[in-house]
Amino acid sequence: SSVVAAMLAALFFVVKGWKSEQYLFWVFPCLAVGFLFKSVIVLLIIPVILFYSLVYREWSYVKNKYLWRGFILSLAIVIPWHLMEWIQHGTLFWDRYLGYNVFQRTTSTLTGINNRWDYFSMLVPWYVPWNLVLVIIIGYLADIHLFPRQLTSKTLLWNVAAPLIAAFFFVIVFTLARTHLGAYIMPAFPFFAMGIAIAWHYLSLIFPGAKNVLVFFAPPLFILGAVFCFSLLPIKVPSY
């Protein structure tokens, strides 16, 4: 969805900005665009950005001039629409905007269900066959004895673990919220994909033939995944 794209873009520009500071200018504008699409949901990427900064020990961007110049642009993106709605609708706008769409969706069960395992159970059918690929790859990577010495560093561990931890962060956050709409889990999927891609990259360093295996198996895996997703769409994703 559009808000997921905005979240990923913000993270992308932060990571790119660690080496090329001019990219930091676009971090806050991406958040601002995502905020207009889906309100405060886009701000969930901020803990992920901070987590990545902690893992990779990159904090210099916080004081970077490009980052805060972009913040000024983000205000120019967000403020006009909110100001117009406030002028036109008064306090009714804030009651509906924040009271219902933020507070009530978080604290009430709008979907009629609130099982703590809702989202974890969705990952089984929604992520076929990539959930199986993920388990196999991570299980293999967990055995560090199979690696050449130069690949057994903490860098390898965190490169694979960071996106997976971010993915489960989204799953846990929306599990704690009482509204368990199926579409809310979408931000987790790109991070699961990143974990698989990075893990496969390291496997290709160990086994050069792994790239050929990927070329052979990727198309049927994509087709199988698409079939599962579209078969579940009419009954699993509520409209809202």
Side-chain angles (χ1 to χ4, degrees):
S1 69
S2 52
V3 69
V4 176
M7 297 165 78
L8 293 174
L11 177 62
F12 170 80
F13 286 122
V14 167
V15 174
K16 287 288 289 185
W18 291 344
K19 293 185 177 180
S20 302
E21 61 178 5
Q22 64 271 21
Y23 284 99
L24 295 172
F25 178 83
W26 299 106
V27 175
F28 280 118
C30 288
L31 294 178
V33 172
F35 195 87
L36 291 181
F37 278 125
K38 201 62 179 174
S39 186
V40 297
I41 295 299
V42 71
L43 299 182
L44 289 176
I45 198 62
I46 293 179
V48 175
I49 290 174
L50 296 177
F51 172 69
Y52 270 71
S53 301
L54 178 65
V55 167
Y56 295 103
R57 299 179 182 179
E58 290 283 355
W59 297 101
S60 60
Y61 70 94
V62 174
K63 298 181 179 180
N64 190 280
K65 61 183 180 181
Y66 287 100
L67 180 70
W68 297 106
R69 287 176 183 174
F71 179 72
I72 297 173
L73 176 59
S74 71
L75 294 179
I77 294 172
V78 170
I79 290 177
W81 181 83
H82 289 80
L83 186 59
M84 285 193 318
E85 292 297 315
W86 184 23
I87 292 173
Q88 183 174 357
H89 301 288
T91 57
L92 179 63
F93 165 68
W94 296 111
D95 290 341
R96 183 72 178 178
Y97 184 60
L98 295 178
Y100 177 78
N101 287 309
V102 176
F103 181 76
Q104 189 172 348
R105 282 180 178 270
T106 303
T107 59
S108 63
T109 310
L110 297 180
T111 58
I113 59 172
N114 185 27
N115 188 301
R116 69 181 64 182
W117 301 110
D118 283 340
Y119 286 124
F120 290 95
S121 62
M122 290 178 190
L123 286 174
V124 176
W126 280 34
Y127 212 51
V128 171
W130 300 106
N131 46 16
L132 303 178
V133 175
L134 181 64
V135 170
I136 292 172
I137 289 179
I138 300 305
Y140 187 86
L141 289 176
D143 190 349
I144 62 174
H145 299 292
L146 298 175
F147 283 84
R149 180 169 298 178
Q150 66 270 24
L151 294 180
T152 58
S153 65
K154 291 182 178 179
T155 301
L156 182 152
L157 172 65
W158 281 115
N159 284 347
V160 177
L164 298 182
I165 292 173
F168 281 109
F169 164 75
F170 289 111
V171 174
I172 292 171
V173 165
F174 290 115
T175 295
L176 294 177
R178 293 181 61 84
T179 302
H180 287 185
L181 291 174
Y184 284 1
I185 201 177
M186 288 180 63
F189 290 145
F191 288 94
F192 281 126
M194 289 182 210
I196 292 175
I198 295 171
W200 194 270
H201 167 71
Y202 282 114
L203 286 176
S204 68
L205 296 179
I206 302 170
F207 305 108
K211 292 183 179 179
N212 297 328
V213 174
L214 178 63
V215 171
F216 180 79
F217 283 103
L221 287 175
F222 278 115
I223 294 172
L224 181 60
V227 169
F228 270 91
C229 287
F230 283 108
S231 66
L232 291 168
L233 193 61
I235 59 174
K236 286 288 185 179
V237 180
S239 58
Y240 65 99

